[in-house]
Amino acid sequence: MDDLHPRAARGPILPFEGQFPRIHPEAWVAPTAVVVGDVEIGAETSIWYHCVLRGDTNIMRIGARTNVQDGSILHLNAGAEPLIIGDDVTIGHACIVHACTLKNRAFVGMGATVLDRAVIEEGGMLGAGGLLPPGKIIGPNELWMGNPAKLVRVMTAEERARFDRTAVHYVELAKRHRASLA
């Protein structure tokens, strides 16, 4: 991602101890979102209104076409666990995602919490309001729900494909928001 630059978005993009976020020019950060420190955001990713992404004590890496919806908070652990988010990931409204790994096509439902060292494998899903405890792993295409979250079932390919449309929708919606605010 060599074409990243620190001022590619509209929201407050703030340094921490001299480290500026690196945001791909095709990414979109809402005007009320805040991105701080060692954060890297990939192409066509969208960070929505009132989100906070704080890369102050470790690294945060977010791939392409990921959407972090309104009011979500993303953080990491000092020197211990970074926050790594793959491509085509959906993080629903008002989520807390902390020092974990969300692999490609992972889905975190509205109001859910993912804690330290937890992993959501490719295509895995944490349902709305769920709490994934530290170190737990959601396998590929597994649906977990509850507090604490537990495996409900493995989703069919058709069922999972419906959720994949969310990432595509948010890429297009972010373009519309960017154009509306220009």
Side-chain angles (χ1 to χ4, degrees), residues 57-59 76-83 99 116-117:
T57 60
N58 207 321
I59 65 167
L76 28 83
N77 269 341
E81 292 96 17
L83 177 59
D116 306 15
R117 299 176 319 283

Side-chain angles (χ1 to χ4, degrees), residues 154-173:
V154 175
M155 294 179 283
T156 66
E158 297 78 30
E159 183 179 21
R160 189 59 188 87
R162 285 196 308 268
F163 291 106
D164 286 337
R165 289 187 222 132
T166 304
V168 174
H169 165 73
Y170 271 90
V171 167
E172 293 307 313
L173 188 57

Side-chain angles (χ1 to χ4, degrees), residues 4-72:
L4 300 177
H5 54 87
R7 304 248 182 225
R10 296 177 151 273
I13 309 302
L14 306 171
F16 180 77
E17 297 179 343
Q19 178 69 53
F20 270 92
R22 292 169 312 285
I23 300 169
H24 193 282
E26 292 176 7
W28 183 72
V29 176
T32 59
V34 178
V35 182
V36 180
D38 195 354
V39 177
E40 188 172 295
I41 299 173
E44 298 186 303
T45 285
S46 55
I47 310 300
W48 291 85
Y49 301 94
H50 301 292
C51 289
V52 176
L53 283 66
R54 190 158 51 93
D56 53 0
T57 60
N58 207 321
I59 65 167
M60 183 181 302
R61 300 295 180 258
I62 302 172
R65 298 170 308 282
T66 286
N67 60 94
V68 180
Q69 297 174 19
D70 311 69
S72 290

